[in-house]
Structures are given as C-alpha cells and as structure tokens.
C-alpha cells in the first residue's frame, strides 16, 4: 500500500532530519552527554558574553557623550597611534591636553570640535566620531542562533521533532514524567537568571553612565551575566527535551521547513576569510609595501614596548616621535634601539604609516 501524500512528506522529512542530525538521531542521551553540552555553553556563552560586553561598553560611551558631555573647540597638537591629541579649555577655564578618540586624516584642519565628559574632561571624542556598532554583532549572533534553533536539523526545534518521532515509534523513555521533574530545572534556571540580574545591575547602580564610560572594565559583569543567561536557556531546553522523551506521542511531529547546514557554515567561512584578509592587509605586512610618495626624517625614541607573541614571548617595538607637516606623530614600529634617534620613512599621504630605515 502506497503512503498518502501527507505520509510521504512526513517520511521524507524524518529521513532528512535523521540524515542531517547524524549520531544524535540514532541514540538515546546519556549522562556523559552533559559534558559536551557544558563545554558548548561555556564556549558559545563566552563568545556571546564578549560581544555583549563590547556592545555595552560602546553603547554606554555613546550615551555618556550624548547626554553628559560639553562641546568645545580644540586644536590638534599631536597624532598618537592614529588618534588626535587635542588642546582644549575645560568648563572650569583650565587648559588641558587630552586624547580625543576619533580618526584624523592627513590634511584635515587642526582646528576641530570635540566633546568631553563634564565630570571627566580627560575623556573626549571628536564631534564627528563614528561609534563602532558592536551591538550589531551581538544582534547578528542572536538572529543566527534563532534561525538555527527553529529551522536547522541540528537546532532545538529539530531536536524536539526527532524525539517526538522516536517516541511515537518506539514509545517513551522508561520511568515516565511527572511535574515534579520540573522542580530541578526551574530552580536551576531561576538561580542562573537571578545571578545574571545580580551581576548586570550593580555596575549601573553604583557608578552611573559617565563613570562606566571612563572605566568600561566595570561592565565585565554584564558580559558574564550574558553567559548565565545562555546557561539558563540551556537548562530550560534540556528540561523540555526530558519531558518530550518521556511523554507518549499519539501523533508524529508535523514537518517544517528545514534549512541546510550550508546556511551556517558558509557565513562562518566568509567571516574567517575576511578576518584573514584584514590581518594580511594590516601592519606588519604594510612594512613591505612601497608608498608612492614618501618622506624621510629622524624620529626620537621615547620608549620601548613589548607585544606578546604567545607562549610567554614578546617582540620589542620602538615608540617613536617625529614631525610631519607641522604635526607631531607618535607610533610604534619594529626596529633596533638607537639612542638619540633613528632614521625613518613615512607615507607622505598618511604619516601614521612609518617604518625604520635599514
């Protein structure tokens, strides 16, 4: 007897679900499976927490400069690591020299408009500074996870569908299920959620937005709170799975649209490729590029810094101060230390691109 169109669609759906879920579709869950789940929560939760921290820090700074700042005229006196150092007059009438976050392009006017925090004049940004939209990355992770959870064969909805199909054919897991089984997961999810709130709320209650803008490391608990939220969600999903496997299924799950795994790994490969390209086109590979217009001079060595190379080793970089077109520049480059000064060459169109001669 040939199956009906509806039954055939269900059969095709379950075959694809089983094929793309792999081993997870052919065996029952054991206690040892909690270990990889915990590792996944720590890794994914840590990544999400880091993005939440970056988004929170940038958002707090943006809000602080939007509502707790004063706009003043300033003069650029130095370019330090690509950002301008400006001389300005504070609300108290005092002259101050501070680093103003923003991008200065060679040839732009040195007379600029900046905003500085009223209670923290050392915190300043150029008036036209563009804030990094870290929140977009965190939102993209949430959207991608949501699509995966709802439509991917290995997502949460796919896991539920396969469990219901297995229960429909083989019967529920032994031991059954009672509402009492919810006590542990509900208590665990509640504790994790309370801990998340307890971590996220105090930084804002103690310091306020301007203080957090000056010390963004105070927002680290917000990133940790995001990890706790991921943990609480995992506890809820596992409790839902536990119930799904132990309650009889009179009907098989309804088929739903499955999205191919390529939707997820292709963007990941593209992101990795973009990251590699960014690394390759940035310094120190830039030291190998010949500039169309360049100028030479002598730079003063004002310090030596160390950049970590992993495994406890580091490479020494010279902190140089030099002048180009009437402005003082401070940059870090690799080279041998020489008392008094070292000969350097820089791009005439972008003096921040500099390297030691020889």
């Amino acid at each position: 007897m040939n199956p009906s169109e509806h039954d055939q669609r269900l059969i095709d759906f379950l075959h694809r679900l089983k094929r793309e879920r792999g081993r997870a579709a052919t065996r029952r869950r054991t206690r040892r499976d909690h270990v990889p789940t915990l590792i996944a929560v720590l890794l994914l939760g840590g990544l999400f927490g880091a993005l939440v921290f970056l988004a929170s820090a940038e958002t707090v700074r943006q809000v602080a400069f939007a509502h707790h700042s004063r706009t003043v005229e300033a003069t650029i006196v130095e370019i330090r690591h690509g950002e301008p150092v400006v001389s300005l007059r504070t609300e108290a009438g005092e002259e101050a020299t501070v680093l103003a976050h923003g991008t200065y392009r060679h040839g732009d006017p040195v007379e600029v408009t900046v905003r500085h925090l009223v209670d923290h004049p050392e915190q300043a940004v150029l008036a036209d500074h563009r804030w990094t939209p870290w929140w977009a990355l965190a939102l993209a992770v949430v959207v991608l996870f949501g699509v995966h959870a709802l439509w991917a064969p290995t997502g949460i909805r796919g896991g539920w569908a396969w469990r219901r199909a297995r229960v429909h054919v083989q019967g529920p897991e032994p031991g059954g299920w009672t509402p009492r089984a919810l006590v542990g997961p509900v208590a665990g999810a509640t504790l994790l959620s309370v801990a998340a709130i307890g971590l996220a709320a105090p930084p804002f209650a103690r310091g306020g937005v301007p203080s957090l803008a000056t010390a963004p490391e105070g927002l680290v608990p917000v990133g940790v709170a995001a990890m706790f939220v991921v943990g609480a969600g995992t506890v809820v999903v596992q409790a839902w799975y536990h119930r799904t496997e132990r309650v009889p299924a009179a009907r098989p799950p309804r088929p739903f649209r499955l999205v191919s795994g390529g939707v997820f790994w292709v963007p990941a490969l593209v992101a990795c490729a973009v990251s590699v390209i960014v690394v390759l086109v940035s310094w120190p590979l830039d030291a190998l590029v010949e500039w169309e217009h360049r100028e030479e001079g002598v730079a003063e060595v004002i310090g030596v810094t160390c950049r970590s190379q992993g495994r406890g080793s580091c490479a020494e970089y010279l902190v140089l101060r030099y002048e180009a077109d009437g402005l003082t520049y401070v940059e870090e480059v690799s080279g041998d230390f020489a008392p008094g000064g070292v000969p350097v060459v820089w791009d005439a169109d972008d003096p921040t691109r500099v390297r030691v001669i020889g």
Side-chain angles (χ1 to χ4, degrees):
M1 180 177 179
N2 295 328
S4 66
E5 181 180 351
H6 176 273
D7 291 340
Q8 186 60 52
R9 192 161 67 93
L10 176 60
I11 292 171
D12 294 341
F13 168 77
L14 293 176
H15 274 306
R16 181 182 174 189
L17 194 61
K18 179 179 179 180
R19 181 177 66 254
E20 297 199 25
R21 284 189 65 82
R23 288 184 59 202
T26 60
R27 62 183 177 85
R28 297 181 184 275
R29 186 176 179 84
T30 65
R31 287 185 178 273
R32 290 181 299 178
D33 292 330
H34 291 294
V35 175
T37 299
L38 176 60
I39 295 175
V41 168
L42 291 176
L43 292 177
L44 298 178
L47 174 61
F48 182 62
L51 291 177
V52 168
F53 165 72
L54 291 174
S56 300
E58 194 75 347
T59 300
V60 164
R61 286 176 56 81
Q62 188 173 359
V63 171
F65 279 100
H67 301 283
H68 303 276
S69 67
R70 175 172 173 259
T71 302
V72 297
E73 299 300 319
T75 303
I76 297 176
V77 295
E78 182 178 285
I79 306 298
R80 186 177 301 167
H81 310 309
E83 293 189 317
V85 176
V86 301
S87 174
L88 56 83
R89 185 177 295 276
T90 66
E91 194 171 20
E94 301 176 348
E95 289 288 340
T97 302
V98 300
L99 178 68
H101 296 288
T103 302
Y104 172 81
R105 295 177 178 82
H106 181 61
D108 287 351
V110 296
E111 301 295 331
V112 294
T113 302
V114 302
R115 291 180 300 188
H116 71 83
L117 297 182
V118 175
D119 297 327
H120 305 275
E122 74 281 358
Q123 295 291 325
V125 298
L126 296 181
D128 59 353
H129 176 61
R130 293 185 178 181
W131 300 95
T132 305
W134 290 112
W135 59 268
L137 291 179
L139 179 61
V141 169
V142 172
V143 171
L144 186 62
F145 174 79
V147 172
H148 182 274
L150 291 177
W151 292 292
T154 55
I156 295 174
R157 190 179 178 190
W160 170 85
W162 179 254
R163 285 168 172 79
R164 293 308 284 169
R166 188 169 60 193
V167 169
H168 178 71
V169 175
Q170 301 178 1
E173 293 271 1
W177 182 87
T178 62
R180 185 179 299 179
L182 287 176
V183 174
V186 168
T190 301
L191 287 175
L192 289 171
S193 300
V194 170
I197 296 173
L199 286 168
F204 295 96
R206 287 197 303 265
V209 171
S211 297
L212 288 174
T214 62
E217 61 273 11
L219 290 167
V220 169
V222 177
V224 179
M227 294 182 61
F228 279 81
V229 171
V230 173
T234 302
V235 170
V236 171
V237 171
Q238 293 302 323
W240 185 40
Y241 280 172
H242 181 83
R243 181 184 182 280
T244 298
E245 293 175 330
R246 286 163 175 76
V247 175
R251 296 180 180 179
R254 292 183 178 180
F256 57 87
R257 181 179 180 85
L258 290 173
V259 179
S260 172
V263 172
F264 307 105
W265 63 260
V266 168
L269 290 179
V270 171
C272 290
V274 170
S275 301
V276 170
I277 292 173
V278 170
V279 171
L280 290 178
V281 300
S282 64
W283 200 93
L285 188 65
D286 179 63
L288 304 176
V289 179
E290 289 296 331
W291 306 312
E292 184 177 356
H293 307 287
R294 63 180 184 174
E295 296 181 5
E296 296 182 3
V298 177
E300 177 189 1
V301 180
I302 61 175
V304 179
T305 186
C306 183
R307 293 185 184 179
S308 175
Q309 292 185 319
R311 297 184 179 180
S313 64
C314 67
E316 290 187 347
Y317 281 76
L318 305 179
V319 183
L320 304 180
R321 177 188 288 131
Y322 56 98
E323 289 192 6
D325 296 336
L327 273 179
T328 301
Y329 288 80
V330 176
E331 296 291 339
E332 295 179 4
V333 300
S334 61
D336 297 325
F337 178 79
V342 293
V344 294
V345 59
W346 61 82
D347 186 354
D349 298 322
D350 182 7
T352 60
R353 302 172 65 189
V354 60
R355 61 174 179 257
V356 175
I357 299 176

